[in-house]
Structures are given as C-alpha cells and as structure tokens.
Amino acid sequence: MTLRLGDTAPDFTVETTQGKITFHEWLGDSWAFFFSHPADFTPVCTTEMGRTAQLSDEFAKRNVKPLGLSTDTVEEHNKWIFDVNDTQNTTLNFPIVADADLSIAKQYDMIHPGESQTAAVRSVFIVDPNKKIRLTLTYPMSVGRNFDEILRVIDALQLGDAKRVATPADWRPGDDVIIPPSISNEEAKDIFPQGWNEIRPYLRTTKV
C-alpha cells in the first residue's frame, strides 16, 4: 500500500506500552509524529527513542503526540524503555506500538525488502488533526533521524495552515515567509496588511 500526502492515515487498533489504542481516537484533535524502528535493543533506535522523550515539551507545545512503532512485543518494548531511559538520561512517556506480526508496518509500507523482510525502516508520518498525512520521510536503518528538521517541518506546516503562507528553503521560525501564487495581490492586501516584498510577481515575501 502506497500512502501519499493528503491521504487519510489508515486507522488501526493495537496494543501499545500504554494499553490498547485506536489510532484516530487516540489522536483526537492533536497532530501525530508516527515513527517506526527496525527493532528494540538496537543502538540507533535507542538514541531516537531517547531524543523523542527528551523533546516531549517541544512536541506538547506544538500539540503533537509521538507514537513509536517497532516490530516487537509490548513485553520487549517495556524492557527496552528501561534501557532507553537509563542510557539517554530521560523518561519515555509516549506509547510504542507492538507490531510483531508486521500488520501495521505493511499497512504503512514500512517494510522495504531491500533493507529487511521483517524489520521496519525508519519511516516518519506527520498526521494532522483531520487524520491527513502531511509529511512522509524514510531513512535507511543505519541513519538516525534529524529531530531539528522534524520540529521545523511541523512548525512550517502549522504556520502555513494558520497564516496561508509557504516557507522558503531552510526556513526557521521568525524568518520571512512566502505568499503563495494562488493568492492575488488584491487578496493579499487583506490577508497581509503588513505588506510584502515583491522580488518577482511569483515570489513575494512577508513577515508574519
């Protein structure tokens, strides 16, 4: 199954380290950072789980719920969490999905046979409160994710939704943004009363 941006994220009911959840119900009015791992008790995954836990306040500030997935059992996950907390000096409080039968990993196309027949690659799905997939990233098993980028793109998506803007290359919160070409200059006068810089008719930047 190939999932594309704008698709509704498939719902599922599954056991996690925090009990059984139904994904859409669990998500509620929040955003999701749904991310998969090849296996428990592996080095790169341990650092990523720890980093997610360390950033819990940053995710909460953005109304984002992290949800991990590994193709192991709840029992194994709970043992692994002890190691994550101990080695990464943190407290992991978000649920980790138990997907030992690979059903969710296959539903979300997280199994890439060129990497492994039984372990999920490092997939990322950012899902909005309408349950729509807004971003996908796929990393190889040997490369840890860039969490600065994950937070940056969540900021960009949420700003774009709130202010009807696009963000340029390497944008960071506080930088100028772009007025999309779909908004005419006449309409832009009402939406952006602060004005804008017209570099080209199709490239207008402004502050928000």
Side-chain angles (χ1 to χ4, degrees), residues 2 15 19 25 71 73 89 92-93 98 106 108 111 116 119 121 127 145-147 153 163-164 177 184-186 190-191:
T2 300
E15 292 291 344
E25 180 182 346
T71 53
T73 65
N89 299 309
L92 194 157
N93 289 320
K106 290 177 179 176
Y108 275 77
I111 303 295
S116 172
V121 294
V127 181
R145 279 165 271 228
N146 184 326
F147 283 80
V153 79
K163 301 293 186 179
R164 295 181 64 185
V177 297
S184 68
N185 280 350
E186 196 61 33
D190 293 328
I191 302 172

Side-chain angles (χ1 to χ4, degrees), residues 73-87:
T73 65
V74 166
E75 183 180 12
E76 290 168 316
H77 289 347
N78 283 328
K79 292 176 183 176
W80 183 34
I81 287 171
F82 178 85
D83 269 11
V84 171
N85 290 341
D86 188 47
T87 62

Side-chain angles (χ1 to χ4, degrees), residues 5-81:
L5 301 185
D7 287 351
T8 298
D11 200 11
F12 52 83
T13 299
V14 68
E15 292 291 344
T16 78
T17 52
Q18 296 185 3
K20 182 176 285 190
I21 68 166
T22 297
F23 180 50
H24 286 189
E25 180 182 346
W26 171 84
L27 186 56
D29 294 327
S30 300
W31 293 64
F33 164 47
F34 182 32
F35 63 123
S36 61
H37 297 266
D40 295 357
F41 300 103
T42 51
V44 178
C45 301
T46 298
T47 65
E48 291 186 320
M49 284 292 187
R51 188 64 182 138
T52 304
Q54 291 164 2
L55 291 169
S56 60
D57 289 346
E58 292 297 322
F59 285 115
K61 187 167 67 177
R62 293 164 172 81
N63 189 30
V64 175
K65 292 182 175 179
L67 180 65
L69 177 145
S70 179
T71 53
D72 290 300
T73 65
V74 166
E75 183 180 12
E76 290 168 316
H77 289 347
N78 283 328
K79 292 176 183 176
W80 183 34
I81 287 171

